[in-house]
Amino acid sequence: MSFGSDSPFGGPPRPQEPQRPSNPSGKKASPLTLTIFAVVILVAVFVFLSNFYADILWFNQLGFSEVYWTERIAKLVIFLIALVLMAVPMWFSMRSAYKHRPVYAPNSNRPDSMSRYQAQLEPVRRFLMVGIPLVIGIFAAVAVAGQWQTILLFFNQVGFGSTDPQFNMDLGFFVFSLPFIALVNGFLISVVLLSGVAGLLTHYLYGGIRVEERGGITVGKAARVHTAVVVGVFLLFQAVNFWIGQYETLTDQSGRVAGALYKDVHAVIPAQMILAIVAILIAITFVIAAINGRWRLPLIGTAMLVATMIVASGVYPFLVQQYKVVPSQKALESEYIERNIEMTRLAFGLDDVEVTDYDAKISTEKNALAKETATTANIRLLDPNLVSAAFAQLQQFRGYYTFAETLNVDRYEIDGKVEDTVIAAREVNVDPTDTWVNQHINYTHGYGLVAAYGNRVAAGGRPDFMLGGIPTSGDLITDKEYEPRIYFGENSPSYSIVGGPDEGWTDQELDRPGTGGENQDTRYTFKGDGGPNVGNLFNRLVYALKFASTDLLLSQNVNSESQILYDRDPRDRVSKVAPYLTLDSQAYPAIVDGRVQWIIDGYTTSNDFPYSQQQQLDSAVTDSLTNAQDLSLTGRVNYLRNSVKATVDAYDGSVKLYAWDTEDPILQSWQKIFPTALNPLDDMSAELMEHVRYPEDMFKVQREVLTTYHVDNPDAFYESNDAWAVPDDPTSSAAGVKQPPYFMSLKMPTQDEASFSLTSTFIPAAAANGQQRNVLFGFLSANADAGSTPGEKADDYGKLRLLELPRDTAVPGPGQAQQNFDTNTRVTTELNLLRQGASEVKNGNLLSLPVGGGILYVQPVYVQSSGQTSYPTLRKVLVSFGDKVGFADTLAEALDEVFGGDSGAVTGETEGVSPSEDPEGEAEPTQTDTEKLTDALTDANEAIKNGQEALAKGDFGAYGESQEQLEDALNRAMEADAAINGTEVEGDVKLDESQNNDASQSPAPTDGAEG
């Protein structure tokens, strides 16, 4: 490689560039072609802009236009800045190389190939010099604009008020500043490298860099100066990279634990500082060389930098680790492991866990549960994961309704007592193959919530409903203004056209099934403000394009007051108005201030919290009930806060965001960015506070962290001799899936009274050989009750309580408890009897309860007969304490079997008993009219079936009895229906002989609620 002495300045004049004819073919485009081309361009632009216009309408209607414009403007500004920062230096580099290209005489000895390249490039040179930087700049700018959250958080950051243990810097530097600096520096390094490469290629194409025939390389002065400047600037940015590298060691996850360990503190961090200084010094030598033309010093410096990098970043840390740390790792890294434990707990909200040694016993005695009424009276027997079919058969009423497969658990106060409830929304179920009018005009909304007591069942093992029916009635409705219609839910149509004028408009929407004397379903017109208006032709055209529907554009069912409802899933709506939040996988419905509201938990996360161990979110939150499509928490984070509670009105879709964790600096920063998007905590009503729960996904992540970080001693942590695991779900047919946490009301041993809680258990982690003992080591509970004071969280809300069981006592874990059930001779015998007749036995959720000085397991057992209209009914209850098993028709009887014939427990089956009161003398609660109607119709179905079976056998005596039962059931049904609708019963039903014959020939109704 040799350096030429030719100068880019002086010399003979450059030959003139040949003039290119403007239109070599001599043909002109026809007016028709130009017109078609223009129309196509206009249509494409209109389609592109229509989506923006639709989004503007949507955000304006919801009142979140600030979020829309702030995000878009921020992205646009960032895009333009990044485009200029990338394109301009690249263009300048190429232009400078071209401007200072060598000039050769016409007969100079130039390689023919390069001359040909130049001749081919010359006609498009100017286009390429602008086009290449512009295209690369656009791609780079799009990538940087996608990091708008990192950039906005940097400029609006709020300090944490606490510092890291290594550099004593505010934690906000690591969460906000360091990611921004790394982003900007990385982008600028890309700018320098791409600009340098573009400039050097231009030098090569125009002779500034030449490959000689003998294998040498000649570099002109202009190319040498250009290279020196590029390398010098690159080294300056690389120095910044080295400098911030010392801080990034605190978030490094490659060591035994996260953060800077002994090797990092004593080798890597000093090396990064040295490399930064060396890089700056060598950058200066390159700048000097560009001026004086002496290249020896920068070349020697570059070699020294490479050698220093190898030694300081690789060899020296390796030697320290191998010969200093490894022989004494436990002692040397104890300080840093302690930092990791402290910071990881802080990052995941585990710094204030109440840990209690729980000397659980496995022996039983009489009256052991006499003082556990607060817990035993609330033991949930209704499994929300199994009873969806029962809700559908008893409360669906029409085929155009549906319930979610997994229902939700909440609590409501009834007659002064807080009752755990299993609750679900009766949503609309639209056939995707149906006509456009049915899908988007007629079937627009669901109707009402359905709720059942969690701690007891009705006759026949069916859910004991406290709210249901159509029109909705029950103990939960105390407000006459209750609005049951559900236009926004998890199963709503993709879009619906609703609304109409106050006068002269015929209701189009199917509202609910007819009742009483009504033979047809009633109809309704939406009266809220739930979506953008599509009454004018332009808006209708915009949404016809958005949903690719000509029917929307041409339908006569669309009027001047029509609105279009879309993006109707509650989680989708919240994610659009709060793109900075990660949402919980579960949205659950509640009756709040006379409205059905969906409640969603929102999280702020970070992966830059110093010394905190990362968690793989999708792995942590996946359990036997998780639907992979609903997972919101994915990727890795090492900081998590439940910062926002969001509500979505089921009727009009209005979204409200409440700042829940007001101490979270990340949320405070977002509040600076979007000052009007979030409502203060003070705006939350008392009823809303009553139905706020502890976030389920966050609890799953916390319990995953606690499998390791329940240990606070760094030496014990290093030895990993007390690692835990979340047990597999013993009721799941799939192997290796975690048991989900369960909501229930219970009183922990350290509590004075019961509270609505979220619970989970721990067993020992698997040994190195893969074997795992299924004994209980820990029980975790989170207080999920936020209280009932408007805008004020209960003092105990979110309190995490961990019971640590002795390691030398073999308290059965969930898997072992299930094994005890499955291998008990009496249990298996009776379950086999229940399976006769093609019936299926289904094990309900296995609940773990710290009562009676030990751990009590309770599992409801459901039986479902064959047939499309069957549903699971609670038939038995399994109970175990230690190795003793109880199996009976009721929870109370099963408990008595385990605890010496008399457990002393008060259960929810003792109707009307308050968990906090003496059970004696309490009256039994009366059934609601809806429940009476449901029971009567079910009995009528049963009577008809019995009559048909009796006729088939020729047993006319049994047939007569069945007809008497049918008369009684129908009369009870008429009385209940009249009570619901406020009408009078006109007379009793009497079945004469002809009616009996008709009844005997007609098939039984397939839906008890419609029968």
Side-chain angles (χ1 to χ4, degrees):
M1 179 175 177
S2 62
F3 296 92
S5 58
D6 55 309
S7 172
F9 307 103
R14 298 187 179 97
Q16 283 190 330
E17 299 176 3
Q19 296 295 321
R20 185 176 51 176
S22 59
N23 189 356
S25 64
K27 296 181 180 180
K28 295 184 178 180
S30 67
L32 179 60
T33 303
L34 293 175
T35 302
I36 294 175
F37 182 75
V39 170
V40 170
I41 294 296
L42 288 175
V43 170
V45 171
F46 179 79
V47 172
F48 179 74
L49 294 178
S50 64
N51 283 324
F52 287 97
Y53 179 68
D55 285 343
I56 292 171
L57 292 178
W58 191 89
F59 278 90
N60 285 345
Q61 187 274 326
L62 272 179
F64 283 88
S65 57
E66 175 195 60
V67 174
Y68 179 84
W69 288 114
T70 300
E71 178 181 348
R72 269 66 185 181
I73 293 173
K75 286 183 175 179
L76 179 61
V77 171
I78 295 169
F79 175 86
L80 294 176
I81 293 174
L83 176 61
V84 171
L85 288 177
M86 176 62 76
V88 171
M90 185 175 291
W91 172 85
F92 183 81
S93 179
M94 296 172 67
R95 175 62 181 168
S96 176
Y98 176 78
K99 182 179 179 181
H100 297 94
R101 68 192 183 282
V103 179
Y104 299 95
N107 295 325
S108 64
N109 186 21
R110 292 281 294 136
D112 293 339
S113 59
M114 298 308 299
S115 299
R116 289 197 299 269
Y117 290 150
Q118 290 182 19
Q120 292 172 357
L121 288 175
E122 194 60 32
V124 293
R125 174 181 54 79
R126 295 187 179 183
F127 173 78
L128 291 177
M129 281 193 172
V130 174
I132 291 176
L134 189 61
V135 170
I136 294 178
I138 289 173
F139 280 106
V142 168
V144 176
Q147 301 296 318
W148 65 277
Q149 295 189 17
T150 299
I151 296 170
L152 289 188
L153 283 175
F154 170 75
F155 287 106
N156 296 274
Q157 61 180 283
V158 174
F160 276 70
S162 55
T163 59
D164 74 277
Q166 176 62 34
F167 297 102
N168 200 31
M169 300 183 70
D170 189 276
L171 299 178
F173 169 78
F174 297 90
V175 174
F176 301 120
S177 300
L178 197 57
F180 173 78
I181 297 172
L183 172 66
V184 173
N185 194 62
F187 175 74
L188 293 177
I189 288 176
S190 300
V191 170
V192 173
L193 290 177
L194 291 173
S195 299
V197 170
L200 292 177
L201 283 175
T202 305
H203 278 294
Y204 176 72
L205 290 173
Y206 286 94
I209 300 176
R210 299 190 302 276
V211 179
E212 304 294 346
E213 293 181 357
R214 296 181 180 178
I217 299 176
T218 302
V219 180
K221 180 179 179 181
R224 292 198 305 271
V225 172
H226 198 151
T227 302
V229 171
V230 169
V231 173
V233 176
F234 169 78
L235 287 174
L236 289 176
F237 288 129
Q238 191 59 43
V240 176
N241 220 26
F242 288 137
W243 186 262
I244 64 176
Q246 61 181 321
Y247 301 107
E248 290 176 341
T249 58
L250 270 63
T251 57
D252 180 64
Q253 304 286 323
S254 62
R256 185 177 184 86
V257 296
L261 304 181
Y262 184 91
K263 174 196 70 175
D264 302 299
V265 171
H266 293 84
V268 176
I269 292 177
Q272 294 292 322
M273 297 174 63
I274 293 171
L275 287 172
I277 296 171
V278 171
I280 293 174
L281 294 176
I282 297 174
I284 295 173
T285 64
F286 270 96
V287 174
I288 296 173
I291 297 173
N292 60 20
R294 298 176 182 175
W295 297 96
R296 184 172 183 177
L297 184 60
L299 292 178
I300 294 174
T302 302
M304 291 180 59
L305 176 62
V306 173
T308 305
M309 288 177 59
I310 294 173
V311 173
S313 297
V315 176
Y316 179 60
F318 173 79
L319 295 176
V320 170
Q321 180 70 23
Q322 285 297 115
Y323 300 104
K324 177 73 173 179
V325 176
V326 171
S328 308
Q329 190 170 23
K330 181 178 177 181
L332 292 179
E333 296 197 336
S334 176
E335 174 188 356
Y336 308 105
I337 293 175
E338 187 173 7
R339 293 179 180 181
N340 173 261
I341 295 173
E342 178 184 353
M343 299 300 284
T344 300
R345 287 182 173 181
L346 177 64
F348 289 98
L350 298 171
D351 52 319
D352 192 29
V353 178
E354 178 186 284
V355 181
T356 304
D357 291 331
Y358 187 58
D359 190 11
K361 57 185 180 182
I362 56 177
S363 60
T364 62
E365 57 186 20
K366 286 187 177 181
N367 293 315
L369 305 182
K371 297 181 180 180
E372 304 283 2
T373 301
T375 297
T376 59
N378 288 293
I379 294 177
R380 181 167 48 75
L381 299 177
L382 204 63
D383 186 348
N385 314 307
L386 290 180
V387 297
S388 177
F391 273 52
Q393 288 297 318
L394 301 175
Q395 292 288 335
Q396 185 168 311
F397 299 122
R398 289 290 190 273
Y400 53 78
Y401 289 134
T402 187
F403 290 96
E405 291 186 8
T406 300
L407 309 186
N408 293 283
V409 178
D410 202 349
R411 71 281 189 202
Y412 286 84
E413 185 175 332
I414 301 175
D415 297 330
K417 295 173 289 189
V418 177
E419 300 277 2
D420 286 5
T421 65
V422 175
I423 193 166
R426 187 191 291 110
E427 295 198 57
V428 67
N429 183 28
V430 179
D431 184 354
T433 64
D434 209 340
T435 64
W436 183 88
V437 172
N438 274 346
Q439 289 188 59
H440 304 292
I441 300 293
N442 291 339
Y443 297 106
T444 60
H445 61 277
Y447 196 94
L449 298 185
V450 176
Y453 289 93
N455 59 356
R456 62 176 184 262
V457 293
R462 293 175 286 106
D464 187 2
F465 294 106
M466 63 175 69
L467 180 72
I470 293 179
T472 305
S473 62
D475 298 329
L476 301 190
I477 300 179
T478 58
D479 192 334
K480 295 181 180 179
E481 300 299 324
Y482 169 66
E483 175 52 69
R485 297 173 182 86
I486 300 174
Y487 283 88
F488 294 83
E490 296 177 313
N491 200 60
S492 298
S494 58
Y495 69 92
S496 293
I497 308 299
V498 300
D502 294 334
E503 298 180 0
W505 174 254
T506 302
D507 294 336
Q508 302 290 320
E509 306 170 41
L510 280 169
D511 189 36
R512 58 176 174 79
T515 57
E518 302 175 7
N519 295 322
Q520 294 184 344
D521 293 351
T522 62
R523 294 189 176 264
Y524 179 76
T525 296
F526 179 75
K527 296 178 174 58
D529 180 17
N533 181 276
V534 287
N536 62 71
L537 181 61
F538 183 78
N539 284 8
R540 199 185 306 182
L541 177 60
V542 166
Y543 283 102
L545 288 171
K546 181 177 179 66
F547 293 105
S549 171
T550 56
D551 297 296
L552 195 158
L553 183 63
L554 303 175
S555 175
Q556 296 180 355
N557 294 293
V558 182
N559 62 82
S560 61
E561 300 299 323
S562 290
Q563 303 173 40
I564 183 168
L565 312 182
Y566 64 100
D567 287 335
R568 299 164 73 176
D569 186 289
R571 292 170 63 249
D572 290 344
R573 293 179 78 78
V574 175
S575 66
K576 285 189 69 173
V577 302
Y580 47 89
L581 294 178
T582 301
L583 301 183
D584 195 274
S585 302
Q586 295 291 327
Y588 61 96
I591 298 176
V592 177
D593 302 319
R595 313 274 287 194
V596 177
Q597 300 279 352
W598 294 93
I599 303 176
I600 306 104
D601 287 289
Y603 306 106
T604 48
T605 63
S606 175
N607 199 27
D608 299 292
F609 200 82
Y611 273 107
S612 177
Q613 199 75 33
Q614 288 180 353
Q615 295 297 314
Q616 184 67 42
L617 293 180
D618 44 358
S619 173
V621 303
T622 299
D623 56 37
S624 61
L625 300 180
T626 303
N627 185 343
Q629 297 177 347
D630 295 333
L631 280 182
S632 294
L633 272 69
T634 57
R636 291 181 173 273
V637 303
N638 64 3
Y639 176 89
L640 180 67
R641 287 291 184 273
N642 176 213
S643 53
V644 172
K645 300 288 185 182
T647 64
V648 176
D649 192 290
Y651 183 76
D652 62 18
S654 57
V655 179
K656 292 185 178 178
L657 308 175
Y658 298 95
W660 184 251
D661 188 348
T662 56
E663 301 299 319
D664 177 30
I666 298 181
L667 179 64
Q668 292 173 5
S669 299
W670 284 119
Q671 286 180 293
K672 291 177 64 178
I673 298 168
F674 304 113
T676 65
L678 283 90
N679 298 314
L681 180 62
D682 295 342
D683 288 354
M684 297 182 73
S685 68
E687 282 197 36
L688 179 55
M689 296 294 294
E690 289 174 0
H691 296 289
V692 165
R693 306 187 313 193
Y694 194 79
E696 195 167 354
D697 280 353
M698 180 170 178
F699 183 80
K700 293 178 184 179
V701 175
Q702 288 177 320
R703 72 174 180 177
E704 194 68 26
V705 174
L706 280 175
T707 57
T708 305
Y709 286 88
H710 65 277
V711 177
D712 56 6
N713 182 283
D715 293 339
F717 187 97
Y718 175 85
E719 295 167 357
S720 299
N721 56 10
D722 191 25
W724 294 352
V726 177
D728 292 344
D729 188 350
T731 67
S732 174
S733 58
V737 292
K738 299 172 187 173
Q739 186 180 39
Y742 295 119
F743 282 105
M744 66 181 84
S745 290
L746 61 81
K747 184 174 80 69
M748 292 285 282
T750 58
Q751 287 182 278
D752 296 328
E753 57 185 19
S755 64
F756 188 66
S757 304
L758 187 57
T759 65
S760 186
T761 57
F762 297 101
I763 61 174
N769 58 6
Q771 293 182 349
Q772 189 170 44
R773 298 175 61 219
N774 207 291
V775 294
L776 204 67
F777 271 16
F779 182 91
L780 180 65
S781 169
N783 190 328
D785 191 349
S788 58
T789 304
E792 183 178 339
K793 288 184 282 189
D795 293 339
D796 213 28
Y797 170 81
K799 182 66 176 179
L800 292 170
R801 295 179 171 88
L802 177 63
L803 302 180
E804 289 200 11
L805 280 69
R807 308 301 189 263
D808 56 354
T809 303
V811 178
Q816 189 173 332
Q818 187 68 54
Q819 178 74 7
N820 291 339
F821 291 154
D822 295 341
T823 56
N824 185 280
T825 304
R826 184 170 70 90
V827 172
T828 55
T829 301
E830 293 195 35
L831 290 181
N832 287 334
L833 291 174
L834 291 174
R835 291 188 180 97
Q836 292 182 357
S839 294
E840 181 182 1
V841 174
K842 296 184 175 182
N843 292 325
N845 42 210
L846 183 62
L847 303 180
S848 309
L849 303 158
V851 295
I855 299 295
L856 175 72
Y857 291 98
V858 177
Q859 184 177 63
V861 178
Y862 289 81
V863 177
Q864 181 171 356
S865 61
S866 59
Q868 294 183 347
T869 61
S870 63
Y871 56 86
T873 55
L874 180 66
R875 292 302 185 190
K876 295 286 185 178
V877 180
L878 280 164
V879 168
S880 73
F881 191 97
D883 291 326
K884 291 191 175 181
V885 173
F887 186 54
D889 293 338
T890 66
L891 174 61
E893 293 171 344
L895 289 172
D896 287 342
E897 287 185 8
V898 171
F899 290 93
D902 184 9
S903 68
V906 175
T907 66
E909 298 158 324
T910 309
E911 297 177 333
V913 175
S914 169
S916 59
E917 297 176 356
D918 190 342
E920 297 182 1
E922 296 288 344
E924 294 185 358
T926 59
Q927 284 185 304
T928 65
D929 294 324
T930 302
E931 292 167 343
K932 292 178 181 178
L933 176 60
T934 301
D935 289 346
L937 292 175
T938 303
D939 294 342
N941 273 335
E942 189 68 24
I944 292 174
K945 292 177 182 178
N946 292 338
Q948 290 175 332
E949 293 174 358
L951 281 177
K953 296 177 181 179
D955 188 348
F956 293 100
Y959 176 73
E961 292 178 0
S962 69
Q963 297 309 291
E964 292 177 1
Q965 296 171 357
L966 179 59
E967 286 183 5
D968 176 68
L970 292 176
N971 286 322
R972 287 188 284 115
M974 290 178 60
E975 292 174 359
D977 184 68
I980 291 174
N981 295 282
T983 59
E984 295 183 0
V985 181
E986 297 181 358
D988 291 344
V989 173
K990 294 295 183 182
L991 299 177
D992 58 25
E993 185 175 353
S994 63
Q995 289 173 318
N996 291 345
N997 291 336
D998 292 339
S1000 67
Q1001 299 300 320
S1002 60
T1006 59
D1007 193 325
E1010 293 183 305

